Amino acid sequence: MSAPTMLHVLMNTIINEYFGNSYCIIILADQTGALNYRGNIPIVNIHPINAEVNDSIAYHGHGCQDIVIDHDDPLKVFESFEFNLRLHKARFNFRRYLIPAGDMSIFNSTNLEYVVNLLVIVPDDTESNCFKLVTHQYVGQSGNNDPRILDYWFGHNQSFLHGNDLFPDKLRNQQGRTLRCATFNYKPYSIIENSPPTAVGSENAIAHVFAEMLNMTIEYIVDDKEWGIIYDNWTGDGILGHVAIDKADMGYGALYTWAHEYQFLDLSKPVVRTGITCLVPAPRLADGWLIPFFPFSFQMWLWFSVTFVLLSLATIGITAYVTKHHLEYKHHNSKGKRKGTINYRVIFNQSMIKLTQIFLIQSLSFRGRAIDTTFRYLFPIFLYSLIITATYSSGLAAVMTLPRYIGTIDTVWNLAKSDLRWGATQDAWIYSILEEKRPQYKTLLNKFVATSKENLLGFAKTNRFAFSIERLPSGQFAIGNYITEDIVKRLRLMHEDLYWEYCVFMVRKSSPLLEPLDTLILKLNEAGLILFWEKEAVGTHMDMRVQKVVAFYRASQVKQADSPVVKLMWVHVEGAFGILFFGLLFSFVCFIIEVVYKRKEYFPRKPYLV
């Protein structure tokens, strides 16, 4: 039996024994050395061109996690496959490689750092018809890519020397292998003030439990870019950038399920749900002269003004028509007397006075004039005015002695319509709403400010800025340390969240660490440990006075406190007296004008019938 034939027998033996539960197998082979696979597992045959893998086939979402490379240049094909899998949506977190090779050159590939299950078949130089079955060390703090012989296979009797497991579980005990964690000091998620690394913070504790579970050693990767960014050319900074450029194995610190980052990284199962809201300037106590306007909303005042104008026009028009009809009738019976003239100015004045009397619940006197005839047939006006005045009086009585505030911001629309800017230390706070099409969110994106903590502290003193914070599932809040006790007392918590998100860990795309990390997160959530660590971090490392003030705002939103009722004071009626004063002043000015300009001379009386 020739060596290539024995090699294919060995490969079929390994596939049938270890790949039996595979969904399918990708075989990357050149035209001459294609594996003659004999089995029932579906296969996807791909022939690399110049050792380059065809992207449209290999990463088409077949669900294959087992890859066989049977090629004259296995190192180049392996690196091409590993490079391209990061550029496509398909994930290969459970991938296993079976590679026949002529030498050990494949163990020089840096991509082996991110591969767990690898089996290389190499001819044994010391004995004919014998193959070495080799993998890489992977575990340990050094020499992770060093080759490690698992077993030997002899072609003459088709048997293994030791019968060892050819795909051992290297994840379970990584023997102190370094776990590089990209994070920063963001309470209560990650607190890294102490050295050596300690498990303080809800997500930091998860990382430490994960490292302990897999027997790994944590190393922090930190810079001042906080969450950072990933650019389309696979560069970046901060947590996101460090994981994308393989400077870190995982990243955490209030990372959300961002669509853009999913193109470059893998996202874990949700850790917690968090709501993003704002601390906004406290509303101001309304001036007393505004009280008469509070019973109706702006829209109600607008509709009332429109209906009043329409009623006025209708009354003037009907009165003019009745007056004209009376004049024509009187002229017809006067036998040649001069026809009277309609005085529209008087009709306007009388109509407005009558309507005002009705809406102010004043009695009307009827003297048989045309204006009186008009109102006899406009009964709906009286009914309408009764409803409006009763509603206004009830509303005025309700707001007269209760404190009223203006500038209240409780919803997303309130914040968008206000003249306030809002912001934080990083653009990461708006990553989740960058693709929003709703107008209020487009406005918020334009008003967001990402700046330093020093500038935010300065904005806080102006009382014209809103600060983004997180509403945590434990009832606590993630608040920047630039919001101190004296500042938070001038702010109020929005009732509505701007948006909500799931916090996740992020790892390298197709990382083998994702599956054990997901399992751990689900178990910790079931046990309630994540919420416990969150409360512990807040209580130990955050300003509890600030937390209590914000929690009080939250409690007041859930259960509205009784508004204090006070005695009637001048501030409650100054608006009404102001309207009375300006009305008397206007009447007095009109009276003076009439006297000065001699009403009889400049406004001669015209014949009219009203």
Side-chain angles (χ1 to χ4, degrees):
M1 187 182 296
S2 63
T5 303
M6 285 190 293
L7 176 62
H8 287 177
V9 170
L10 172 59
M11 294 174 66
N12 275 279
T13 301
I14 294 172
I15 291 173
N16 291 329
E17 182 173 351
Y18 290 95
F19 294 1
N21 295 326
S22 299
Y23 183 78
C24 63
I25 301 173
I26 294 177
I27 298 179
L28 303 172
D30 51 21
Q31 299 289 346
T32 58
L35 169 66
N36 182 20
Y37 169 65
R38 297 184 298 274
N40 298 322
I41 304 173
I43 62 173
V44 178
N45 272 310
I46 301 174
H47 301 293
I49 300 175
N50 296 324
E52 294 292 330
V53 178
N54 189 326
D55 296 358
S56 62
I57 301 177
Y59 312 102
H60 195 62
H62 303 290
C64 306
Q65 294 292 318
D66 294 311
I67 303 103
V68 176
I69 300 177
D70 187 9
H71 196 275
D72 290 338
D73 193 350
L75 173 60
K76 190 173 181 180
V77 174
F78 170 76
E79 293 199 330
S80 173
F81 189 88
E82 280 291 312
F83 174 80
N84 287 309
L85 67 81
R86 301 185 69 189
L87 306 180
H88 296 81
K89 293 181 179 179
R91 262 54 175 181
F92 293 84
N93 301 93
F94 306 96
R95 63 190 181 281
R96 290 184 294 187
Y97 285 100
L98 176 60
I99 305 174
D103 53 35
M104 295 286 196
S105 61
I106 195 170
F107 292 97
N108 297 323
S109 174
T110 56
N111 286 309
L112 290 181
E113 288 283 343
Y114 317 105
V115 175
V116 174
N117 296 306
L118 172 74
L119 182 61
V120 180
I121 304 174
V122 182
D124 188 3
D125 297 333
T126 61
E127 186 173 346
S128 62
N129 298 328
C130 180
F131 295 92
K132 292 186 293 186
L133 303 174
V134 189
T135 187
H136 63 313
Q137 189 71 21
Y138 186 77
V139 300
Q141 293 186 337
S142 62
N144 302 113
N145 292 355
D146 293 345
R148 169 189 164 197
I149 299 176
L150 294 173
D151 211 334
Y152 291 86
W153 186 82
F154 300 98
H156 64 274
N157 59 2
Q158 299 183 10
S159 64
F160 294 95
L161 177 62
H162 303 292
N164 292 333
D165 186 356
L166 301 183
F167 289 96
D169 187 355
K170 301 175 185 177
L171 290 177
R172 181 175 300 177
N173 181 7
Q174 301 198 29
Q175 301 177 18
R177 179 186 170 103
T178 301
L179 178 64
R180 299 166 299 170
C181 297
T183 186
F184 69 103
N185 196 43
Y186 182 54
K187 306 171 185 179
Y189 294 98
S190 178
I191 302 171
I192 55 174
E193 297 171 342
N194 300 322
S195 183
T198 55
V200 183
S202 57
E203 293 185 352
N204 206 18
I206 296 174
H208 278 263
V209 172
F210 180 72
E212 183 179 353
M213 179 181 72
L214 301 184
N215 192 14
M216 303 181 76
T217 303
I218 282 186
E219 175 189 337
Y220 288 139
I221 308 295
V222 183
D223 68 12
D224 58 355
K225 300 298 183 180
E226 299 182 346
W227 293 278
I229 191 172
I230 301 176
Y231 300 105
D232 291 338
N233 62 354
W234 285 84
T235 61
D237 52 35
I239 296 176
L240 302 175
H242 287 157
V243 180
I245 64 177
D246 292 330
K247 192 175 180 180
D249 299 309
M250 69 163 54
Y252 56 88
L255 303 177
Y256 300 155
T257 54
W258 295 317
H260 176 265
E261 279 60 40
Y262 182 70
Q263 302 175 55
F264 301 89
L265 306 174
D266 272 354
L267 280 57
S268 74
K269 290 289 191 293
V271 178
V272 293
R273 178 216 185 264
T274 180
I276 288 73
T277 186
C278 280
L279 286 174
V280 297
R284 307 184 306 277
L285 190 65
D287 296 328
W289 66 270
L290 293 174
I291 289 179
F293 300 98
F294 283 148
F296 288 164
S297 65
F298 173 78
Q299 292 81 1
M300 184 61 188
W301 280 116
L302 181 62
W303 281 111
F304 173 73
S305 301
V306 171
T307 55
F308 187 83
V309 171
L310 293 177
L311 288 174
S312 301
L313 294 175
T315 303
I316 294 170
I318 295 173
T319 303
Y321 175 81
V322 172
T323 302
K324 181 180 179 181
H325 180 74
H326 278 227
L327 289 176
E328 290 177 351
Y329 179 78
K330 186 175 182 180
H331 177 68
H332 179 74
N333 295 331
S334 62
K335 298 180 180 181
K337 290 184 179 180
R338 186 170 63 88
K339 183 178 180 181
T341 305
I342 301 176
N343 192 333
Y344 289 100
R345 177 179 58 81
V346 175
I347 292 175
F348 174 79
N349 291 340
Q350 297 260 350
S351 298
M352 296 305 295
I353 291 173
K354 292 285 186 183
L355 280 175
T356 304
Q357 285 180 304
I358 291 175
F359 281 101
L360 294 179
I361 321 178
Q362 300 292 316
S363 60
L364 300 180
S365 60
F366 294 94
R367 300 177 181 177
R369 297 174 299 181
I371 186 68
D372 299 331
T373 304
T374 300
F375 274 94
R376 285 194 182 98
Y377 296 100
L378 293 179
F379 172 75
I381 294 180
F382 293 92
L383 183 60
Y384 175 74
S385 66
L386 176 64
I387 297 174
I388 291 294
T389 53
T391 304
Y392 179 82
S393 299
S394 301
L396 185 61
V399 303
M400 183 67 74
T401 57
L402 298 180
R404 290 286 166 170
Y405 296 90
I406 58 176
T408 303
I409 299 176
D410 276 336
T411 65
V412 177
W413 270 112
N414 292 153
L415 183 60
K417 291 179 179 179
S418 71
D419 59 349
L420 296 178
R421 294 180 298 165
W422 68 291
T425 57
Q426 267 267 334
D427 286 329
W429 288 88
I430 59 173
Y431 285 172
S432 297
I433 57 175
L434 286 176
E435 303 299 324
E436 272 285 358
K437 304 300 182 184
R438 287 175 286 181
Q440 64 269 36
Y441 285 97
K442 290 183 178 180
T443 302
L444 289 180
L445 288 174
N446 293 330
K447 297 169 71 172
F448 182 81
V449 177
T451 185
S452 65
K453 294 181 180 180
E454 292 74 19
N455 290 336
L456 289 173
L457 185 60
F459 290 151
K461 298 176 181 178
T462 65
N463 207 36
R464 300 297 302 161
F465 198 83
F467 301 90
S468 54
I469 65 172
E470 290 186 72
R471 197 193 308 264
L472 304 175
S474 63
Q476 312 295 328
F477 298 87
I479 305 173
N481 55 13
Y482 45 83
I483 300 178
T484 58
E485 183 182 359
D486 59 325
I487 291 174
V488 78
K489 290 180 179 179
R490 302 198 301 267
L491 303 174
R492 292 295 182 271
L493 179 68
M494 282 180 55
H495 181 72
E496 188 176 280
D497 288 341
L498 299 182
Y499 62 93
W500 62 271
E501 269 285 8
Y502 285 119
C503 291
V504 296
F505 280 64
M506 292 190 183
V507 296
R508 188 183 196 268
K509 200 170 186 179
S510 296
S511 170
L513 297 177
L514 183 63
E515 191 273 336
L517 178 61
D518 284 344
T519 302
L520 175 64
I521 290 173
L522 293 176
K523 290 181 178 179
L524 293 176
N525 264 316
E526 289 176 354
L529 287 174
I530 296 177
L531 290 184
F532 171 77
W533 290 329
E534 182 180 283
K535 291 182 179 180
E536 183 181 49
V538 171
T540 307
H541 293 85
M542 299 186 73
D543 190 335
M544 287 307 298
R545 288 182 174 272
V546 173
Q547 290 287 328
K548 289 179 179 179
V549 172
V550 180
F552 172 77
Y553 297 153
R554 174 59 178 162
S556 64
Q557 293 171 350
V558 176
K559 182 179 180 181
Q560 294 290 341
D562 296 334
S563 299
V565 179
V566 299
K567 292 182 179 180
L568 191 64
M569 297 185 295
W570 165 251
V571 69
H572 301 133
V573 296
E574 65 175 326
F577 278 98
I579 295 174
L580 175 62
F581 172 76
F582 284 110
L584 293 175
L585 180 62
F586 181 75
S587 301
F588 179 74
V589 171
C590 291
F591 174 72
I592 295 299
I593 291 174
E594 289 183 356
V595 172
V596 172
Y597 286 91
K598 299 178 182 179
R599 181 176 183 276
K600 289 187 178 182
E601 180 179 342
Y602 287 90
F603 302 101
R605 182 180 295 276
K606 296 180 181 180
Y608 59 88
L609 182 64
V610 291

